[in-house]
Amino acid sequence: MGSHNPVLLKETVEALSVRPGGRYVDGTLGRAGHAKEIIARGGEVLGIDRDEQAIREIGEVAGLTAVRGRHGSLKEIANEKGWNEVDGILLDLGVSSPQLDEAGRGFSFLREGPLDMRMDRSCGLSAADIVNGESAERLEEIFRTLGEEPQARRIAKAVAKERAEKPFETTVELAEFIEKVVGRRNGRHPATRVFQALRMEVNDEIGELGRALEGGLDLLRRGGRFAVITFESLTDRIVKRFFAGHIGRMVSLLQGGERWEGEEPRMKAVTRRVVVASKEEEDLNPRSRSAKLRAAEKE
């Protein structure tokens, strides 16, 4: 089991402006690295994770209530626990290191394992179900929209043709096939974007994120803060647009003066620009290289 270093730990906890006695929701608990730092600063944490193994391995931590569930339901889960208003919400949208490191979970093409990728292994379609069952057109759409894969059509058609002979079963099998189809240039593995797309599709990550942002904003008290760490340009754009819509802007009026335009409830930026990992953190934890933190406060 690999160790899990929480990404942008100091920057995230400071963006949340943790206060003693405050209530905080960590919608993507993972191995509780961020949650433990919030608790160390006097906060109380409701941690949510859909991965039963993660919840089990954390065990008992004073100040932490760990619940199995989806972050898209964080408002409902908090309400069920009697938390009708909170001081801060954190979403760390990366796959946790233990999930990547365990071959049997099927998240990584660096390790031979079943094509699974479900964060909650008790339900839903696996990556193999999607790769072997969806039409070539649907696969192309998944690879293009969720993976931002420029060769989505070529890969999807080749996968559909190949699976007719023999279904794809393992991570390495699929990754090697994609490499054969598109070739390998310098830089990242040619299967990277396809694996990202499949993981996001399997776990409905875009739908979950949208529900978490809307529900979380309802749950925040005035002055409460929302911090989100993303690892893909697609999810970063969604968070950026959501916060920008609620931060709004001042518009000059023809008759003089100005008025605010935006979506209610209003927010104000905590991070003026996106926060990324320091060189020191990148050296210690290569997975932090693609991390981006954005935070805003409910007014």
Side-chain angles (χ1 to χ4, degrees), residues 2 13 30 69-71 79 105 154 169-170 175 200 215 220-221 242 262 270 283 298:
V13 176
R70 296 167 176 251
H71 56 262
N79 289 165
R105 302 301 298 268
R154 186 175 168 193
E169 293 177 0
T170 74
M200 293 177 114
L220 273 181
R221 66 168 178 82
F242 180 83
V270 171
D283 290 343
K298 184 174 179 178

Side-chain angles (χ1 to χ4, degrees), residues 122-137:
S122 68
C123 62
L125 297 176
S126 69
D129 294 329
I130 290 166
V131 167
N132 296 315
E134 295 286 2
S135 67
E137 292 76 19

